[in-house]
Amino acid sequence: EMRNDIMNSINDLSDIGFEEGKKEFFDDDGELNVEKFSKFLTQELKDRGASEEVLDAVSIVKDKDGKPRLKVPLAAQANLNWI
């Protein structure tokens, strides 16, 4: 019984964190706000002493249609130690 209560509490906290993340980084249409996400990543990385190379990789550039995106997609990062 106690184990179930603990697991339910963990799940509830996870759901709360997920909802807060959605509010912070996604618009009403469910699109990721890349600029907000980049700003968040940049601050977190600076606080953790990330290299300039990593900070540059999460900076914003515009694609051919003028839409903002990360300079280097997270999946293509050469250094993933900061994740």
Side-chain angles (χ1 to χ4, degrees), residues 53-76:
E53 175 185 84
V54 171
L55 292 171
D56 183 54
V58 298
S59 65
I60 294 291
V61 295
K62 303 283 183 175
D63 67 14
K64 64 181 178 181
D65 298 321
K67 188 175 178 180
R69 65 171 180 82
L70 296 179
K71 189 172 187 177
V72 178
L74 293 180

Side-chain angles (χ1 to χ4, degrees), residues 1 3 8 10 13-14 23 30 33 40-41 44-46 51-53 57 59 61 65 67-68 73-76 81:
E1 179 68 28
R3 181 173 163 231
N8 287 336
I10 291 170
L13 287 172
S14 178
K23 288 177 191 173
N33 183 318
F40 170 80
L41 286 176
E44 287 292 314
L45 290 166
K46 282 181 181 179
S51 69
E52 287 299 318
E53 175 185 84
S59 65
V61 295
D65 298 321
K67 188 175 178 180
L74 293 180
N81 294 335

Side-chain angles (χ1 to χ4, degrees), residues 4-58:
N4 286 338
D5 289 343
I6 291 170
M7 292 306 295
N8 287 336
S9 295
I10 291 170
N11 288 335
D12 290 344
L13 287 172
S14 178
D15 291 344
I16 291 168
F18 176 74
E19 290 301 319
E20 288 179 7
K22 274 179 35 179
K23 288 177 191 173
E24 186 171 354
F25 299 116
F26 291 84
D27 63 22
D28 293 337
D29 297 326
E31 280 286 314
L32 176 66
N33 183 318
V34 179
E35 287 150 332
K36 283 184 181 179
F37 188 58
S38 172
K39 184 176 180 179
F40 170 80
L41 286 176
T42 299
Q43 188 58 54
E44 287 292 314
L45 290 166
K46 282 181 181 179
D47 291 348
R48 297 173 189 199
S51 69
E52 287 299 318
E53 175 185 84
V54 171
L55 292 171
D56 183 54
V58 298

